[in-house]
Amino acid sequence: MKYLWKRSVSQLNLKGTGKVFKFTLTQQLKSRTFRITTVVILIMTILIASAVNIIPALISNDDDNEVTTLGDIDVKEVYVLNESDLDIDIVSALSAEMPSANVAKLEKTEESIIEELEETTENKILIKLSKDETGYSILSIKPPNITVDEDDLILYYTKSVVESGRLLSAGVNADDVEMLLSSISAESITAGEEVKGLAEVLTEIYVPMISGLVLFLLIYLYGYWVATSIVAEKSSRVMELLLTSVKPLAVVLGKLIAMGTLALTQFTLLLLSAGISYKISGGFADSMAGESYNPLDLSTLTNAFTPLNIIVVLIIFILGYVLYAEMNAIAGATISSAEDMQMAVMRVNLSAVVGFYLSYFSPAVDNEMLNTIVALCPISSPFALPTMIIMDKISIGMAFASILILVVTIVIVLLFAARIYSSIVLHTGNRLRIKDLFSIYKQK
Amino acid sequence: MSIQVENLVKTFGDYTAVDNLSFSIDKPGVFALLGTNGAGKTTAIRMLLGMLTKNSGTALWDGKPMESLTTQIGYLAEERGLYPKIDVIDQLLYFAQLKGLSTAQAKERIDFWFGRLNIEEHKNKKASQLSKGNQQKVQLVVALLADPKLLILDEPLSGLDPVNADQFRAVIKEEIAKDKYIIMSSHQMATIEEFCDDLVILDKGKSILKGNLNEIKKGYGRINLSIKCDEDITGLIMQSGLTILNKTPAQTMVRVKDESQAKSLLKKIVDNDLSLVKYELREPSLHEIFVEKVGESIES
């Protein structure tokens, strides 16, 4: 096996690839840019994955607090005046909600309490329930000289008490009152669709968007770094020195594999950190959550991460990276100074951005034709396909066809690069355009 | 061992950069690859190193294609080629490993050459922190690390101060003494004359002169006369039908056809009782041969 490998390497003239790989990997690991981006990506991943559990728990906590009791409030005295025909015990109901306040039925006249409120510097209010031709009304009267912050909340609770009270006084039993007063949700769906909860919306729309973005960043950035590495070596003339020891294809292959290894490592770290932080934050969420806590059911997503699916996702990631790295390597070799970099990689940039946007918006649009194009087109499939496979949004046949198209595209670009690379890698002067590259290819 | 280059051709589209270049190096020593700017020297070197594919022709080392034996070739490029932001020692280890050296061997040789060239204190610096001369020394170390049998030096003394230039000369002489094959390209003719045995001069990709330097000079004969008298002898020279090549306060350079013409002028100076300060009859310098040959090429 070792003999066959050595023979293949010598025929392809790839001697030195391993050393280029090792050096590129080491230098990149030492670079500040790599360390900072790794840390930033991991922090963002941990925060996002944890937020999926923590935010609903915090919301449930607030909801419970909001529903059950106000707790300590600044208002110390609440006077209740019931001038309606409803026989409801507003005093007891408000007392239960505001244990720190003294809630009492108004014994004085309305005029005298209003006079008192006008002059007082204490935190007290009057709640008056009345009825007129239009219906029931609740008035909150507070002193002018001090700020009463909770009057809106007190009004809110009073209103719920009155709503329950009038149903009870109409003869509705208590259980029915609770049912009648529960909130009503309303939404519109297309025939054949199912109602989607928050978990489903997250899973079907936002997860593909976020994963597409992450894949785009990793695949594109590392491919771009291959180009910048090549340009740096050309502009500093190191490339001449390298080519006295190794062939151009060995140089580019070593760099490609090194950057790809780093990309794959970051991607794997990202997946692991997302999974671990989701698990750990789930435990925290359970401990801090209120009674009404309903954890998001992402089991559809988490169960989809089978070992086979993970392997397929990693393979697609590698293929996507290889395609963009190859194109960037060719682009980098067409120039000899860093100033021309943006022009050189413009077409590769454009392909990547178009591919990304197609994969980003297709889950929201959810159009079958668009999804097919996104899945099969080699510039977009690396960003969209992994999520489509995880979410089981693509048939096995289509996935296979997509991967095949990606592989064929990679091979075509590789053969093109292999033929022209030795001619362009030492090129200096004006940037080589695509027609120049095809001209060199034909000459070869 | 020998180097045989035959009918090397390189074209870029319609432009022929190297046109049927042939030469051979049969023994250790310095071979000079000379030419005007854009003559095709660097292109020829890159083909020998396998960096550029040849359109036709062969370059063999001991019967084997040279590009397959790059671990035995050390190359000092004309332009500085180091990673600006990477420590010098890390780069040297990388280049050494590409040449097939182990880390231990590489470290040993780096220590030796850094000591030899007095640049030990720069080992852990970034290349951009070094002066041009020190960068050139580092690149010379890169070329010598694998103890190559063939050294290709492209403008080795360019940009060096006199002290560093002498250091480089000493190292080149040491390598010559070790029976290395050296191909040197330079515009500094004095340097070439100091070291080289054989040469080829290129102009517009074509070889316009090649052979052993001494033989070439002998072929011209001793026809350059440097003469100075206290008195002005311009008139005397013109009367003798001789061509003044150059006149400076230090001397007058005269072209003679042969030694007898030179002696005839000397006799006239003596007969006229003039005060003779300098009289030197010599072969033309490489500089003069180069200028004459390239001039002829331009005219033709």
Side-chain angles (χ1 to χ4, degrees):
Chain A
M1 195 61 149
K2 203 174 169 182
Y3 167 76
L4 280 173
W5 167 251
K6 279 189 175 173
R7 205 181 144 166
S8 306
V9 164
S10 68
Q11 279 178 350
L12 285 170
N13 230 336
L14 299 177
K15 193 178 167 193
T17 302
K19 295 182 179 92
V20 174
F21 161 78
K22 190 180 161 193
F23 181 76
T24 307
L25 190 74
T26 313
Q27 293 307 316
Q28 202 64 26
L29 281 169
K30 282 182 186 176
S31 83
R32 196 178 291 177
T33 312
F34 173 76
R35 290 178 188 184
I36 289 171
T37 52
T38 304
V39 168
V40 165
I41 286 171
L42 286 178
I43 288 173
M44 282 173 57
T45 306
I46 290 168
L47 287 174
I48 292 170
S50 304
V52 169
N53 284 322
I54 300 294
I55 291 175
L58 288 173
I59 291 170
S60 76
N61 222 352
D62 285 349
D63 284 346
D64 280 2
N65 288 342
E66 213 174 281
V67 168
T68 53
T69 178
L70 278 172
D72 277 343
I73 56 173
D74 288 340
V75 176
K76 294 302 170 202
E77 295 206 38
V78 180
Y79 299 108
V80 178
L81 176 61
N82 186 356
E83 291 185 341
S84 72
D85 57 358
L86 290 175
D87 182 21
I88 48 175
D89 188 359
I90 300 174
V91 171
S92 301
L94 287 182
S95 295
E97 295 293 340
M98 295 178 286
S100 64
N102 183 21
V103 184
K105 186 179 168 187
L106 184 66
E107 301 297 343
K108 305 173 188 176
T109 62
E110 186 178 342
E111 292 76 22
S112 64
I113 191 67
I114 289 173
E115 269 179 37
E116 191 182 316
L117 286 174
E118 281 172 0
E119 285 161 20
T120 189
T121 54
E122 291 173 1
N123 211 330
K124 48 175 96 170
I125 62 172
L126 168 68
I127 300 291
K128 176 181 168 184
L129 172 63
S130 58
K131 186 182 176 189
D132 57 28
E133 309 81 48
T134 58
Y136 295 96
S137 68
I138 304 168
L139 190 62
S140 161
I141 302 170
K142 55 190 179 183
N145 299 319
I146 62 165
T147 306
V148 178
D149 291 325
E150 298 98 355
D151 55 335
D152 286 342
L153 280 170
I154 295 169
L155 272 175
Y156 169 78
Y157 283 112
T158 308
K159 190 177 167 193
S160 352
V161 168
V162 170
E163 278 176 348
S164 309
R166 65 178 177 171
L167 286 171
L168 286 168
S169 69
V172 180
N173 71 50
D175 289 335
D176 289 341
V177 166
E178 195 176 333
M179 187 267 296
L180 286 167
L181 290 178
S182 61
S183 61
I184 300 169
S185 67
E187 65 180 287
S188 170
I189 62 170
T190 309
E193 278 185 3
E194 292 174 3
V195 176
K196 291 178 184 168
L198 179 58
E200 283 156 319
V201 170
L202 265 180
T203 306
E204 291 187 13
I205 297 176
Y206 291 106
V207 165
M209 280 181 170
I210 292 170
S211 65
L213 178 62
V214 168
L215 287 167
F216 166 74
L217 285 173
L218 286 175
I219 287 172
Y220 178 72
L221 264 179
Y222 280 94
Y224 183 77
W225 278 345
V226 170
T228 54
S229 175
I230 289 166
V231 172
E233 284 177 353
K234 281 187 75 171
S235 61
S236 65
R237 305 287 195 180
V238 171
M239 186 62 78
E240 270 194 56
L241 200 50
L242 288 177
L243 295 180
T244 61
S245 305
V246 290
K247 293 298 175 192
L249 212 55
V251 172
V252 90
L253 206 59
K255 287 182 187 299
L256 209 130
I257 298 172
M259 296 296 189
T261 303
L262 288 173
L264 195 59
T265 308
Q266 264 195 350
F267 185 53
T268 309
L269 276 175
L270 200 145
L271 288 177
L272 282 172
S273 61
I276 292 168
S277 52
Y278 178 74
K279 277 280 183 197
I280 294 173
S281 63
F284 277 123
D286 282 338
S287 64
M288 75 165 73
E291 283 178 12
S292 61
Y293 175 51
N294 204 9
L296 283 174
D297 181 16
L298 297 179
S299 57
T300 317
L301 181 62
T302 53
N303 292 342
F305 275 91
T306 60
L308 178 64
N309 277 352
I310 290 172
I311 288 168
V312 171
V313 163
L314 289 176
I315 288 171
I316 294 166
F317 174 79
I318 290 167
L319 291 175
Y321 161 74
V322 168
L323 177 62
Y324 278 99
E326 281 179 337
M327 294 196 289
N328 273 302
I330 294 172
T334 59
I335 54 172
S336 49
S337 71
E339 287 81 25
D340 297 329
M341 189 70 182
Q342 290 310 314
M343 281 304 293
V345 298
M346 191 176 65
R347 283 184 180 82
V348 182
N349 278 356
L350 202 56
S351 306
V353 167
V354 166
F356 165 65
Y357 276 122
L358 282 174
S359 71
Y360 191 75
F361 289 113
S362 66
V365 173
D366 202 17
N367 174 274
E368 199 178 323
M369 170 76 91
L370 180 62
N371 287 342
T372 305
I373 293 169
V374 167
L376 294 178
C377 180
I379 64 166
S380 57
S381 60
F383 310 128
L385 207 54
T387 318
M388 284 179 169
I389 288 173
I390 293 285
M391 306 299 300
D392 203 21
K393 292 285 183 190
I394 189 168
S395 65
I396 293 173
M398 184 80 87
F400 182 75
S402 176
I403 292 171
L404 188 64
I405 291 171
L406 199 48
V407 168
V408 166
T409 311
I410 287 168
V411 168
I412 290 171
V413 175
L414 184 64
L415 290 173
F416 182 77
R419 214 177 211 197
I420 65 167
Y421 206 75
S422 59
S423 298
I424 67 173
V425 74
L426 284 175
H427 165 76
T428 53
N430 291 338
R431 179 174 61 90
L432 291 171
R433 296 171 195 280
I434 291 182
K435 63 176 179 159
D436 298 324
L437 299 180
F438 278 104
S439 168
I440 293 169
Y441 180 85
K442 282 176 194 164
Q443 280 175 16
K444 285 277 188 175
Chain B
M1 255 190 288
S2 68
I3 296 169
Q4 302 288 336
V5 175
E6 284 182 18
N7 301 317
L8 220 52
V9 174
K10 180 66 186 173
T11 57
F12 298 100
D14 295 331
Y15 174 68
T16 304
V18 175
D19 191 355
N20 282 301
L21 174 63
S22 299
F23 62 86
S24 67
I25 308 172
D26 299 316
K27 58 184 187 338
V30 181
F31 181 87
L33 183 60
L34 307 176
T36 53
N37 296 327
K41 303 186 297 297
T42 303
T43 305
I45 288 172
R46 286 179 174 180
M47 283 194 281
L48 296 180
L49 289 167
M51 287 155 57
L52 283 178
T53 47
K54 304 180 271 301
N55 287 90
S56 63
T58 56
L60 302 175
W61 170 300
D62 228 15
K64 295 173 196 158
M66 278 182 70
E67 55 265 29
S68 67
L69 301 163
T70 52
T71 52
Q72 298 182 27
I73 303 176
Y75 176 50
L76 175 64
E78 180 180 0
E79 299 200 34
R80 301 293 70 72
L82 297 170
Y83 292 101
K85 300 291 179 197
I86 295 177
D87 289 356
V88 165
I89 182 70
D90 290 339
Q91 300 189 44
L92 286 172
L93 286 172
Y94 175 43
F95 296 135
Q97 284 162 359
L98 287 176
K99 287 287 187 192
L101 296 181
S102 67
T103 308
Q105 278 177 315
K107 282 182 178 171
E108 191 191 322
R109 292 193 189 176
I110 289 167
D111 286 342
F112 169 76
W113 281 111
F114 269 51
R116 176 71 183 78
L117 293 170
N118 298 323
I119 49 171
E120 298 104 320
E121 71 269 26
H122 301 307
K123 218 188 281 187
N124 294 309
K125 289 184 185 173
K126 309 274 185 253
S128 57
Q129 293 173 298
L130 305 186
S131 66
K132 189 181 168 190
N134 283 330
Q135 286 185 32
Q136 188 130 339
K137 286 186 182 181
V138 169
Q139 283 207 232
L140 181 62
V141 172
V142 173
L144 295 168
L145 266 179
D147 196 24
K149 293 190 177 70
L150 168 63
L151 268 172
I152 300 180
L153 308 175
D154 197 346
E155 294 289 356
L157 305 185
S158 160
L160 294 177
D161 62 57
V163 171
N164 283 329
D166 278 351
Q167 250 187 347
F168 267 57
R169 285 194 183 88
V171 168
I172 293 170
K173 283 176 184 165
E174 286 164 19
E175 294 302 304
I176 294 169
K178 290 179 195 171
D179 286 342
K180 298 285 175 74
Y181 290 73
I182 300 175
I183 297 175
M184 190 184 295
S185 173
S186 179
H187 292 305
Q188 295 176 357
M189 296 301 151
T191 306
I192 296 292
E193 283 203 81
E194 187 183 344
F195 291 113
C196 90
D197 304 316
D198 301 296
L199 60 85
V200 64
I201 299 178
L202 299 180
D203 186 44
K204 295 191 184 73
K206 287 185 180 2
S207 165
I208 55 173
L209 179 67
K210 71 176 177 186
N212 179 270
L213 180 58
N214 284 336
E215 296 297 327
I216 290 169
K217 283 187 172 184
K218 273 185 194 165
Y220 277 85
R222 296 200 298 165
I223 57 171
N224 280 13
L225 176 63
S226 300
I227 190 163
K228 179 176 164 56
C229 296
D230 282 337
E231 298 83 359
D232 183 10
I233 56 168
T234 307
L236 206 60
I237 291 168
M238 304 299 278
Q239 279 170 25
S240 305
L242 300 174
T243 309
I244 294 178
L245 294 174
N246 188 25
K247 189 174 176 184
T248 66
Q251 64 185 12
T252 303
M253 288 283 300
V254 180
R255 174 64 54 88
V256 296
K257 286 189 188 139
D258 50 37
E259 283 190 35
S260 62
Q261 263 195 339
K263 282 176 184 173
S264 166
L265 179 60
L266 179 61
K267 190 172 182 300
K268 283 178 185 164
I269 290 169
V270 168
D271 288 347
N272 283 284
D273 202 20
L274 300 172
S275 303
L276 184 63
V277 175
K278 179 178 180 181
Y279 179 91
E280 183 189 6
L281 186 62
R282 59 171 180 78
E283 292 154 343
S285 67
L286 182 56
H287 176 97
E288 287 158 347
I289 294 170
F290 182 95
V291 168
E292 183 191 310
K293 278 293 173 188
V294 171
E296 279 174 13
S297 174
I298 290 170
E299 278 166 16
S300 67

